Coordinates of all heavy atoms in Angstrom, one line a residue:
L22 N 86.8 112.0 96.0 CA 87.7 111.3 96.8 C 87.6 111.6 98.2 O 87.3 112.7 98.6 CB 89.1 111.7 96.4 CG 89.7 111.3 95.1 CD1 91.1 111.8 94.9 CD2 89.7 109.8 95.0
E23 N 87.8 110.6 99.0 CA 87.7 110.8 100.5 C 88.8 109.9 101.1 O 88.6 109.2 102.1 CB 86.4 110.3 101.0 CG 85.2 111.2 100.6 CD 84.0 110.8 101.3 OE1 83.8 111.2 102.5 OE2 83.2 110.1 100.7
F24 N 90.0 110.0 100.6 CA 91.1 109.2 101.1 C 91.6 109.9 102.4 O 91.8 111.1 102.5 CB 92.3 109.2 100.2 CG 92.1 108.5 98.9 CD1 92.1 109.1 97.7 CD2 91.8 107.1 98.9 CE1 91.9 108.5 96.5 CE2 91.5 106.5 97.7 CZ 91.6 107.1 96.5
V25 N 91.7 109.1 103.5 CA 92.0 109.6 104.8 C 93.5 109.1 105.1 O 94.2 109.9 105.7 CB 91.1 109.1 105.9 CG1 91.5 109.6 107.2 CG2 89.7 109.6 105.5
G26 N 93.8 107.9 104.7 CA 95.1 107.4 105.1 C 96.1 107.6 104.0 O 96.3 108.7 103.5
S27 N 96.9 106.6 103.7 CA 97.9 106.7 102.7 C 97.3 106.9 101.3 O 96.2 106.6 101.0 CB 98.8 105.4 102.7 OG 98.0 104.3 102.3
V28 N 98.2 107.3 100.4 CA 97.8 107.6 99.0 C 98.1 106.3 98.1 O 99.1 105.8 98.2 CB 98.6 108.8 98.4 CG1 98.4 109.0 96.9 CG2 98.4 110.0 99.2
D29 N 97.0 105.9 97.4 CA 97.2 104.8 96.5 C 98.0 105.3 95.3 O 97.7 106.4 94.8 CB 95.9 104.2 96.0 CG 95.1 103.5 97.1 OD1 95.8 103.0 98.0 OD2 93.9 103.4 97.0
V30 N 99.0 104.5 94.8 CA 99.9 104.9 93.7 C 99.5 104.2 92.4 O 99.3 103.0 92.5 CB 101.3 104.7 94.1 CG1 102.2 105.1 92.9 CG2 101.7 105.5 95.3
Y31 N 99.4 105.0 91.4 CA 99.1 104.4 90.0 C 100.1 104.8 89.0 O 100.9 105.7 89.2 CB 97.7 105.1 89.5 CG 96.6 104.9 90.5 CD1 96.3 105.9 91.4 CD2 95.8 103.8 90.5 CE1 95.2 105.8 92.3 CE2 94.8 103.6 91.3 CZ 94.5 104.6 92.3 OH 93.4 104.5 93.1
K32 N 100.2 103.9 88.0 CA 101.1 104.2 86.9 C 100.4 103.6 85.6 O 99.8 102.5 85.7 CB 102.5 103.4 87.0 CG 103.4 104.1 88.0 CD 104.6 103.2 88.3 CE 105.5 102.9 87.2 NZ 106.7 102.2 87.6
R33 N 100.3 104.4 84.6 CA 99.7 103.9 83.3 C 100.3 104.6 82.1 O 100.9 105.7 82.3 CB 98.2 104.2 83.4 CG 97.8 105.6 83.5 CD 96.2 105.8 83.6 NE 95.6 105.4 84.7 CZ 95.4 106.0 85.9 NH1 95.9 107.2 86.0 NH2 94.8 105.5 86.9
Q34 N 100.1 104.0 81.0 CA 100.6 104.6 79.8 C 99.9 105.9 79.5 O 98.7 106.0 79.7 CB 100.5 103.7 78.6 CG 101.3 102.4 78.7 CD 102.8 102.7 78.6 OE1 103.2 103.6 77.9 NE2 103.6 102.0 79.4
G35 N 100.6 106.9 78.9 CA 99.9 108.1 78.4 C 100.1 109.3 79.3 O 101.0 109.4 80.0
Q36 N 99.1 110.2 79.2 CA 99.1 111.5 79.8 C 97.8 111.7 80.6 O 96.9 111.0 80.3 CB 99.2 112.7 78.8 CG 100.4 112.6 77.8 CD 101.7 112.8 78.5 OE1 101.9 113.7 79.3 NE2 102.6 111.8 78.3
E37 N 97.9 112.6 81.6 CA 96.7 112.8 82.4 C 96.5 114.3 82.7 O 97.5 115.0 82.9 CB 96.8 112.0 83.7 CG 95.5 112.1 84.6 CD 95.5 111.0 85.7 OE1 96.1 110.0 85.5 OE2 94.9 111.3 86.7
F38 N 95.2 114.7 82.7 CA 94.9 116.1 83.0 C 93.9 116.1 84.1 O 92.9 115.3 84.1 CB 94.2 116.8 81.8 CG 93.6 118.1 82.1 CD1 94.4 119.3 82.2 CD2 92.2 118.2 82.3 CE1 93.8 120.5 82.5 CE2 91.7 119.5 82.6 CZ 92.5 120.6 82.7
N39 N 94.1 116.8 85.2 CA 93.2 116.9 86.3 C 92.8 118.4 86.5 O 93.7 119.3 86.5 CB 93.9 116.4 87.6 CG 94.1 114.9 87.6 OD1 93.4 114.2 87.1 ND2 95.2 114.5 88.3
L40 N 91.5 118.6 86.8 CA 91.0 119.9 87.1 C 90.2 119.8 88.4 O 89.2 119.0 88.4 CB 90.1 120.4 85.9 CG 89.2 121.6 86.2 CD1 90.1 122.8 86.5 CD2 88.3 121.9 85.1
V41 N 90.5 120.5 89.4 CA 89.8 120.5 90.7 C 88.5 121.4 90.6 O 88.6 122.6 90.3 CB 90.7 121.0 91.8 CG1 89.9 120.9 93.1 CG2 91.9 120.2 91.9
L42 N 87.4 120.7 90.7 CA 86.1 121.4 90.6 C 85.6 121.9 92.0 O 85.0 123.0 92.0 CB 85.0 120.4 90.1 CG 85.4 119.8 88.7 CD1 84.3 118.7 88.4 CD2 85.4 120.9 87.6
E43 N 86.0 121.2 93.0 CA 85.5 121.6 94.4 C 86.5 121.0 95.4 O 86.9 119.9 95.3 CB 84.1 121.1 94.6 CG 83.5 121.4 95.9 CD 82.1 120.8 96.0 OE1 81.4 120.7 95.0 OE2 81.8 120.4 97.2
G44 N 86.9 121.8 96.4 CA 87.7 121.3 97.5 C 89.2 121.5 97.1 O 89.6 122.2 96.3
R45 N 90.0 120.7 97.9 CA 91.5 120.7 97.8 C 92.0 119.3 97.8 O 91.4 118.5 98.5 CB 92.1 121.5 98.9 CG 91.8 123.0 98.9 CD 92.4 123.8 100.1 NE 93.2 123.1 101.1 CZ 94.5 123.3 101.3 NH1 95.2 124.1 100.5 NH2 95.2 122.6 102.2
M46 N 93.1 119.1 97.1 CA 93.7 117.8 97.1 C 95.2 117.8 97.0 O 95.7 118.8 96.5 CB 93.1 116.9 96.0 CG 93.6 117.2 94.6 SD 92.8 115.9 93.5 CE 93.7 116.3 92.0
M47 N 95.8 116.8 97.5 CA 97.2 116.6 97.4 C 97.4 115.6 96.2 O 96.8 114.6 96.2 CB 97.9 116.1 98.6 CG 99.4 116.0 98.4 SD 100.2 115.0 99.7 CE 99.6 113.4 99.3
L48 N 98.3 116.0 95.3 CA 98.6 115.1 94.2 C 100.1 114.8 94.3 O 100.9 115.8 94.3 CB 98.3 115.8 92.8 CG 98.6 115.0 91.6 CD1 97.8 113.7 91.5 CD2 98.3 115.8 90.4
S49 N 100.5 113.6 94.4 CA 101.9 113.2 94.5 C 102.3 112.6 93.2 O 101.6 111.6 92.7 CB 102.0 112.1 95.7 OG 103.3 111.7 95.8
I50 N 103.3 113.1 92.6 CA 103.8 112.6 91.3 C 105.3 112.4 91.4 O 106.1 113.3 91.7 CB 103.6 113.7 90.2 CG1 102.1 114.0 90.0 CG2 104.1 113.1 88.8 CD1 101.8 115.1 89.1
D51 N 105.6 111.1 91.3 CA 107.0 110.7 91.3 C 107.7 111.2 92.6 O 108.9 111.7 92.6 CB 107.8 111.2 90.1 CG 109.0 110.3 89.8 OD1 109.1 109.2 90.3 OD2 109.9 110.9 89.1
G52 N 107.0 111.1 93.7 CA 107.6 111.5 95.0 C 107.5 113.0 95.4 O 107.9 113.4 96.5
K53 N 107.0 113.8 94.5 CA 106.8 115.2 94.8 C 105.4 115.5 95.0 O 104.5 115.2 94.2 CB 107.3 116.1 93.6 CG 107.2 117.5 93.8 CD 107.8 118.4 92.7 CE 107.7 119.8 93.0 NZ 108.4 120.7 92.0
D54 N 105.1 116.2 96.2 CA 103.7 116.5 96.6 C 103.3 117.9 96.1 O 104.0 118.8 96.4 CB 103.5 116.4 98.1 CG 103.7 114.9 98.6 OD1 103.6 114.0 97.8 OD2 104.0 114.8 99.8
L55 N 102.1 118.0 95.5 CA 101.6 119.3 95.0 C 100.2 119.4 95.6 O 99.5 118.5 95.7 CB 101.5 119.3 93.5 CG 102.8 119.0 92.7 CD1 102.4 118.7 91.3 CD2 103.7 120.1 92.8
I56 N 99.9 120.7 96.0 CA 98.6 121.0 96.6 C 97.8 121.7 95.4 O 98.2 122.7 94.9 CB 98.6 121.9 97.8 CG1 99.5 121.3 98.9 CG2 97.2 122.2 98.3 CD1 99.0 119.9 99.4
L57 N 96.6 121.1 95.1 CA 95.7 121.7 94.1 C 94.5 122.2 94.8 O 93.8 121.5 95.6 CB 95.4 120.7 93.0 CG 96.5 120.2 92.2 CD1 96.0 119.2 91.2 CD2 97.3 121.3 91.5
N58 N 94.1 123.5 94.5 CA 92.9 124.1 95.1 C 91.9 124.2 94.0 O 92.1 123.9 92.8 CB 93.3 125.6 95.5 CG 94.3 125.6 96.7 OD1 94.0 125.0 97.7 ND2 95.4 126.1 96.4
E59 N 90.7 124.5 94.4 CA 89.5 124.6 93.5 C 89.9 125.5 92.3 O 90.5 126.6 92.5 CB 88.3 125.2 94.2 CG 87.1 125.2 93.4 CD 85.9 125.6 94.3 OE1 85.7 125.0 95.4 OE2 85.1 126.5 93.8
G60 N 89.7 125.1 91.1 CA 90.1 125.8 89.9 C 91.5 125.5 89.3 O 91.8 125.9 88.2
D61 N 92.3 124.9 90.1 CA 93.7 124.5 89.7 C 93.6 123.3 88.7 O 92.7 122.5 88.8 CB 94.6 124.2 90.8 CG 95.0 125.4 91.7 OD1 94.8 126.5 91.2 OD2 95.5 125.1 92.8
S62 N 94.5 123.3 87.8 CA 94.6 122.1 86.9 C 96.1 121.7 86.7 O 97.0 122.5 87.0 CB 94.0 122.4 85.6 OG 94.7 123.5 84.9
L63 N 96.3 120.5 86.2 CA 97.6 120.0 86.1 C 97.6 118.9 84.9 O 96.7 118.1 84.8 CB 98.1 119.3 87.3 CG 99.5 118.8 87.4 CD1 100.5 120.0 87.3 CD2 99.8 118.1 88.6
Y64 N 98.6 119.0 84.1 CA 98.8 118.0 83.0 C 100.1 117.3 83.2 O 101.1 118.0 83.5 CB 98.8 118.8 81.7 CG 98.9 117.9 80.5 CD1 97.9 117.2 79.9 CD2 100.2 117.8 79.8 CE1 98.0 116.4 78.8 CE2 100.3 117.0 78.7 CZ 99.2 116.3 78.2 OH 99.3 115.5 77.1
F65 N 100.2 116.0 83.2 CA 101.4 115.3 83.6 C 101.5 113.9 82.9 O 100.5 113.4 82.4 CB 101.6 115.1 85.1 CG 100.5 114.3 85.7 CD1 100.7 113.0 86.0 CD2 99.3 114.9 86.1 CE1 99.8 112.2 86.6 CE2 98.3 114.1 86.8 CZ 98.6 112.8 87.0
N66 N 102.7 113.4 82.9 CA 103.0 112.1 82.3 C 102.5 111.0 83.3 O 103.1 110.9 84.4 CB 104.5 112.0 82.0 CG 104.8 110.7 81.4 OD1 104.1 109.7 81.4 ND2 106.0 110.6 80.8
S67 N 101.5 110.3 82.9 CA 100.9 109.3 83.9 C 101.7 108.0 84.0 O 101.3 107.1 84.7 CB 99.4 109.0 83.6 OG 99.3 108.6 82.3
K68 N 102.8 107.9 83.3 CA 103.8 106.8 83.4 C 104.5 106.9 84.8 O 105.0 106.0 85.3 CB 104.8 106.8 82.3 CG 104.2 106.4 81.0 CD 105.3 106.4 79.9 CE 104.8 106.2 78.5 NZ 105.8 106.4 77.5
L69 N 104.6 108.2 85.3 CA 105.2 108.4 86.6 C 104.3 107.9 87.7 O 103.1 108.1 87.6 CB 105.5 109.9 86.8 CG 106.5 110.5 85.7 CD1 106.5 112.0 85.9 CD2 107.9 109.9 85.9
P70 N 104.8 107.4 88.8 CA 104.0 106.9 89.9 C 103.3 108.2 90.4 O 103.9 109.2 90.7 CB 104.9 106.3 90.9 CG 106.3 106.6 90.4 CD 106.2 107.1 89.0
H71 N 101.9 108.1 90.6 CA 101.2 109.2 91.1 C 99.9 108.7 91.9 O 99.5 107.6 91.7 CB 100.7 110.1 89.9 CG 99.8 109.4 88.9 ND1 100.3 108.5 88.0 CD2 98.5 109.4 88.8 CE1 99.3 108.1 87.3 NE2 98.2 108.6 87.7
G72 N 99.5 109.6 92.7 CA 98.3 109.3 93.5 C 97.8 110.6 94.1 O 98.5 111.6 94.1
M73 N 96.6 110.6 94.6 CA 96.0 111.8 95.2 C 95.1 111.5 96.4 O 94.8 110.4 96.6 CB 95.1 112.5 94.1 CG 94.0 111.7 93.5 SD 94.4 110.6 92.2 CE 95.0 111.7 91.0
K74 N 94.9 112.6 97.2 CA 94.0 112.4 98.4 C 93.4 113.8 98.7 O 94.0 114.8 98.4 CB 94.7 111.8 99.6 CG 95.5 112.8 100.5 CD 96.0 112.0 101.7 CE 96.4 112.9 102.7 NZ 96.9 112.2 103.9
A75 N 92.2 113.7 99.2 CA 91.4 114.9 99.6 C 92.1 115.5 100.8 O 92.6 114.8 101.6 CB 90.0 114.5 99.8
L76 N 92.0 116.8 100.9 CA 92.5 117.5 102.1 C 91.4 118.1 103.0 O 90.3 118.2 102.5 CB 93.5 118.6 101.6 CG 94.7 118.1 100.9 CD1 95.5 119.3 100.4 CD2 95.6 117.2 101.7
D77 N 91.8 118.6 104.1 CA 91.0 119.3 105.1 C 89.8 118.5 105.6 O 88.8 119.0 106.1 CB 90.4 120.6 104.4 CG 91.5 121.5 103.9 OD1 92.6 121.5 104.5 OD2 91.3 122.1 102.8
G78 N 89.9 117.1 105.5 CA 88.8 116.3 106.0 C 87.5 116.4 105.2 O 86.4 116.1 105.7
K79 N 87.6 116.9 104.0 CA 86.4 117.1 103.1 C 86.6 116.4 101.8 O 87.7 116.0 101.4 CB 86.2 118.6 102.8 CG 86.0 119.5 104.1 CD 85.9 120.9 103.7 CE 85.7 121.8 104.9 NZ 85.7 123.2 104.6
K80 N 85.5 116.2 101.1 CA 85.5 115.6 99.8 C 86.1 116.6 98.8 O 86.1 117.8 99.0 CB 84.1 115.3 99.3 CG 83.4 114.2 100.1 CD 82.0 113.9 99.4 CE 81.3 112.9 100.2 NZ 80.0 112.7 99.7
V81 N 86.7 116.0 97.7 CA 87.2 116.8 96.6 C 86.5 116.3 95.4 O 86.4 115.0 95.2 CB 88.7 116.8 96.5 CG1 89.3 115.4 96.3 CG2 89.2 117.8 95.4
R82 N 86.1 117.1 94.5 CA 85.6 116.7 93.2 C 86.5 117.2 92.1 O 86.9 118.4 92.1 CB 84.2 117.3 92.9 CG 83.1 116.7 93.8 CD 81.7 117.1 93.5 NE 81.6 118.4 92.7 CZ 81.0 118.5 91.6 NH1 80.4 117.5 91.0 NH2 80.9 119.7 91.0
F83 N 86.9 116.3 91.2 CA 87.8 116.8 90.2 C 87.6 116.0 88.9 O 87.0 114.9 88.9 CB 89.3 116.6 90.6 CG 89.8 115.2 90.8 CD1 90.5 114.6 89.8 CD2 89.5 114.5 91.9 CE1 91.0 113.3 89.9 CE2 90.0 113.2 92.1 CZ 90.7 112.6 91.1
L84 N 87.9 116.6 87.8 CA 87.8 115.9 86.5 C 89.2 115.4 86.1 O 90.2 116.1 86.2 CB 87.3 117.0 85.5 CG 87.3 116.5 84.0 CD1 86.2 115.5 83.8 CD2 87.1 117.7 83.1
A85 N 89.2 114.1 85.7 CA 90.5 113.5 85.3 C 90.3 113.1 83.9 O 89.3 112.3 83.6 CB 90.9 112.3 86.2
V86 N 91.1 113.5 83.0 CA 91.1 113.1 81.6 C 92.4 112.3 81.3 O 93.5 112.9 81.5 CB 91.0 114.3 80.6 CG1 91.0 113.8 79.2 CG2 89.8 115.1 80.9
I87 N 92.3 111.0 81.0 CA 93.4 110.2 80.7 C 93.5 109.9 79.3 O 92.6 109.5 78.6 CB 93.3 108.9 81.5 CG1 93.1 109.2 83.0 CG2 94.4 107.9 81.3 CD1 92.7 108.0 83.9
M88 N 94.7 110.3 78.7 CA 94.9 110.1 77.3 C 96.0 109.1 76.9 O 96.9 109.0 77.6 CB 95.2 111.5 76.7 CG 94.2 112.5 76.9 SD 94.7 114.2 76.7 CE 95.3 114.6 78.4

């Protein structure tokens, strides 16, 4: 991801798991912003509005599993 401006918001049926492989990102879920660092992971209900963006002006690599 290389989002510089606003965060695109998504909603879909099911659950989502994200694992940050490299870099840092902000993940916004239902209006709450969370900072994920390399090695952090998160499992959440993807029916909630959510979006993410890379931080520190660098790329972030992460694994997203959508169930």
